[in-house]
Amino acid sequence: MGDGIERVTGKAPVAESRIEVDSALWNKLFYSLLALVTAWRLIYAAIAPLELAADEAYYWDWSRALDWCYYSKPPMVAWLIALSTRALGATELTVRLPAVVLGSVGMWALFLLARRLFGSRTAVWTVAAAAASPGSATLGLVMTTDAPLVCFWCLAQYGLWRAIENHEDNLFWWTLTAVFTGLGILSKPMMLAFPALAILFLFFAPRERKTLGMGRPAVFSLCSLWGLIPLLWWNARHGWVTLHHSRQHFEAAHGSILKFMGLPFEFIGSQLLVVSPLTFLLLAIAFVCCMRSRNEQDSRLRYLLVFSALPLAIFLVMSCRQRIIPNWPAVYYPAAMAVLAAWALGDAPCGNRMPNRRKLFKWGVVFGVALTLLAYALPFVAERLGPEGNKLVFLRKLRGWDELGGEVGAVLAGLPNKDKTFLIADGRQVVSELAFYTPGQPRVYDWNGKPGVVRSQYDIWPGPSDKTGWDALVVVRSGAAVSESLKAAFHSMDLYKEIRVRSELVGDRRYDVYWAHEMQLR
């Protein structure tokens, strides 16, 4: 067999030629599946009635001012968006194009890993289980920091196994793994867990422990941190704002005992929806069966469990004291799906305590596909439902920004001194969405009424200090007060127009547009 794994059917060994044929067929099936999923996601990204999410618009605005780091995240997401939009123009499709490509590369890396461990058949089912979930559908479409993170994590996971599988000093694969790990760190700080889990696996794996004495793992751990260098350099020059922002994610929740008791159930419930319910339940059973088997000779399972069951268990414990964002454990599910597929198809030495597991697993994939297709269909269904579709709050947040940007652009175009008028908005979501959807995609400023308080990247970038004597259009949600410091920055300010973004999906959003005259030098 191409991946070197011997299969046995019944009591007699399968002929090597038949194994190679089967492997080739499964390989072709995978690449057909990969092409189909990639094409579907590209088409969907082009036709779906979904405007940019708040984070997508925010990261796109970052991509217009490339840097080594940003307020809340490393720079990879901005770099990739810039690569796409500067080559093809700034549209919703080109902002999301990197997510589609990264998702496909991540599936390919997962296939290579699972094939190396268990063979082509299990690898195809691993990828199918991973792709058949609402979380994967989102990850392969919405361009956030998780898209490059999961892609580089899968590549690093494959590279690490290649580096250690033969207990040899494989410099090439150690180096490649360090490169992928560094790229992951430049995508999201969660990648820092990868070197720690790698060393943990090597320390507790009897056969692989001698690899520690070769020195490569220590060198790998240090070299893989190269991605921290630009982040630390940038933060040292900006008051360590990323560190302060990230620290807020680990603060304990406040509230009653009942609230704390409910947090773990909230975490589990969110993961049921992210993965799909049946697949998640089978995954929990597979973890228990594989860990109870205590097979000390199978490094493959131990490797996958260290990169899946262990960190997921840590998140479950963390959920007892704080709210866990549903996408945080995303990187641990690729290895988890390999465990699930190997257990369900009988390629993992986990005993035979559940005879119907193969059928249930395949039904779980089918159910996951149905749930994923339902998630893809929701935007189109919401449009057909009319007013009833307005109840889908998460979709409402992805609609109406194009209309708002068009209305603001029309107001701006009608001003007598439009060439000397700039835009100010309140809050990073409105600022970034206006920057993308206003005709001409102008720079939009977020006015900070509290100097010294950094709330977003907009507070780090220079303000409109070069606009002395200019007018401004100030866009705020109706009823929101305009800060006194903003009023004081202009000679005068008048309410110019109320904009209503009204549709069956968006509801009725109202914005007040003020015309501020002659910014004063201060």
Side-chain angles (χ1 to χ4, degrees):
M1 188 174 181
D3 43 33
I5 296 176
E6 183 178 358
R7 293 192 179 280
V8 175
T9 302
K11 296 182 179 180
V14 179
E16 185 70 21
S17 59
R18 176 61 182 274
I19 294 175
E20 291 178 355
V21 170
D22 288 347
S23 177
L25 290 175
W26 283 106
N27 290 341
K28 290 179 181 178
L29 180 60
F30 164 73
Y31 286 107
S32 298
L33 175 65
L34 182 65
L36 177 64
V37 172
T38 304
W40 165 252
R41 288 175 175 175
L42 281 173
I43 294 170
Y44 187 85
I47 67 174
L50 296 174
E51 294 162 21
L52 293 185
D55 283 347
E56 288 181 297
Y58 188 39
Y59 298 147
W60 166 80
D61 222 1
W62 289 7
S63 74
R64 300 202 290 177
L66 295 180
D67 210 335
W68 292 108
C69 189
Y70 296 90
Y71 165 72
S72 57
K73 297 292 188 297
M76 183 62 70
V77 64
W79 292 355
L80 293 173
I81 292 174
L83 181 64
S84 176
T85 55
R86 294 187 184 184
L88 303 172
T91 65
E92 292 163 355
L93 176 59
T94 57
V95 169
R96 290 171 174 154
L97 180 60
V100 177
V101 175
L102 292 165
S104 297
V105 174
M107 285 193 292
W108 173 67
L110 177 59
F111 172 76
L112 294 180
L113 174 64
R115 185 178 66 176
R116 197 82 185 175
L117 295 173
F118 302 112
S120 298
R121 179 192 64 156
T122 299
V124 171
W125 281 105
T126 296
V127 174
S133 67
S136 177
T138 304
L139 193 68
L141 179 67
V142 180
M143 186 54 189
T144 65
T145 54
D146 288 316
L149 170 68
V150 174
C151 176
F152 292 128
W153 184 283
C154 290
L155 288 167
Q157 205 163 35
Y158 173 65
L160 179 62
W161 181 256
R162 292 298 302 269
I164 64 177
E165 65 176 341
N166 295 322
H167 317 293
E168 297 175 354
D169 198 8
N170 200 324
L171 179 61
F172 172 79
W173 286 106
W174 280 116
T175 303
L176 200 59
T177 305
V179 171
F180 290 141
T181 305
L183 293 173
I185 292 172
L186 286 171
S187 303
K188 197 172 183 178
M190 181 66 75
M191 193 72 196
L192 290 169
F194 188 90
L197 292 173
I199 297 299
L200 188 66
F201 165 72
L202 293 174
F203 185 80
F204 286 103
R207 296 176 60 186
E208 283 73 20
R209 190 176 301 146
K210 63 181 182 180
T211 309
L212 292 170
M214 298 179 183
R216 295 296 185 199
V219 174
F220 153 73
S221 298
L222 291 175
C223 292
S224 64
L225 299 179
W226 67 267
L228 279 176
I229 296 174
L231 312 186
L232 294 173
W233 177 79
W234 184 91
N235 271 273
R237 298 171 61 238
H238 293 86
W240 303 101
V241 293
T242 308
L243 180 63
H244 295 314
H245 170 79
S246 299
R247 187 173 58 187
Q248 299 172 6
H249 292 316
F250 300 97
E251 295 177 352
H254 300 283
S256 64
I257 295 178
L258 289 177
K259 180 178 180 180
F260 276 95
M261 292 176 61
L263 287 176
F265 296 100
E266 179 184 318
F267 168 66
I268 294 173
S270 69
Q271 299 310 295
L272 284 168
L273 294 176
V274 167
V275 177
S276 94
L278 182 55
T279 299
F280 185 83
L281 292 175
L282 289 173
L283 180 59
I285 295 172
F287 281 159
V288 173
C289 291
C290 292
M291 288 187 288
R292 288 182 61 184
S293 69
R294 301 182 182 278
N295 191 310
E296 296 297 328
Q297 302 303 315
D298 198 310
S299 298
R300 301 172 299 168
L301 271 181
R302 188 178 295 107
Y303 180 73
L304 294 173
L305 289 170
V306 166
F307 281 93
S308 58
L310 176 61
L312 286 172
I314 292 174
F315 270 113
L316 180 60
V317 173
M318 288 175 59
S319 71
C320 295
R321 68 179 295 273
Q322 69 177 87
R323 178 168 281 106
I324 303 297
I325 306 301
N327 64 298
W328 283 1
V331 292
Y332 306 117
Y333 282 114
M337 293 305 167
V339 172
L340 175 59
W343 167 78
L345 300 177
D347 288 328
C350 300
N352 191 27
R353 298 184 178 89
M354 192 173 176
N356 293 324
R357 64 188 187 276
R358 179 179 300 188
K359 183 181 295 185
L360 287 172
F361 167 66
K362 292 181 178 179
W363 274 111
V365 173
V366 171
F367 182 73
V369 171
L371 201 60
T372 301
L373 291 176
L374 176 62
Y376 278 122
L378 276 178
F380 299 97
V381 173
E383 282 195 321
R384 297 294 298 271
L385 289 176
E388 290 298 317
N390 189 34
K391 296 178 181 179
L392 300 172
V393 177
F394 74 97
L395 287 178
R396 217 164 57 221
K397 295 179 180 179
L398 300 177
R399 302 298 300 271
W401 300 111
D402 189 20
E403 185 179 346
L404 176 62
E407 291 279 356
V408 171
V411 172
L412 182 61
L415 296 179
N417 56 341
K418 60 182 180 181
D419 294 331
K420 288 288 186 177
T421 303
F422 64 100
L423 297 178
I424 298 174
D426 183 24
R428 74 171 178 90
Q429 179 175 14
V430 180
V431 171
S432 57
E433 300 280 11
L434 272 181
F436 187 85
Y437 286 108
T438 301
Q441 297 181 326
R443 169 76 187 277
V444 182
Y445 295 89
D446 184 5
W447 190 271
N448 189 348
K450 298 179 180 179
V453 177
V454 180
R455 307 163 303 171
S456 71
Q457 183 64 32
Y458 294 114
D459 296 329
I460 295 175
W461 286 334
S465 57
D466 60 338
K467 299 293 191 293
T468 301
W470 284 44
D471 291 351
L473 285 181
V474 181
V475 182
V476 298
R477 290 189 180 273
S478 291
V482 178
S483 69
E484 294 300 322
S485 63
L486 179 55
K487 292 179 181 178
F490 291 88
H491 182 268
S492 62
M493 184 180 296
D494 306 307
L495 179 61
Y496 185 81
K497 182 179 181 180
E498 181 187 66
I499 294 177
R500 283 190 176 188
V501 178
R502 305 186 67 178
S503 73
E504 293 176 341
L505 281 180
V506 174
D508 189 355
R509 289 190 202 151
R510 301 186 182 189
Y511 298 88
D512 292 331
V513 179
Y514 292 86
W515 189 3
H517 306 278
E518 295 184 28
M519 184 174 180
Q520 307 297 308
L521 179 64
R522 292 184 181 276

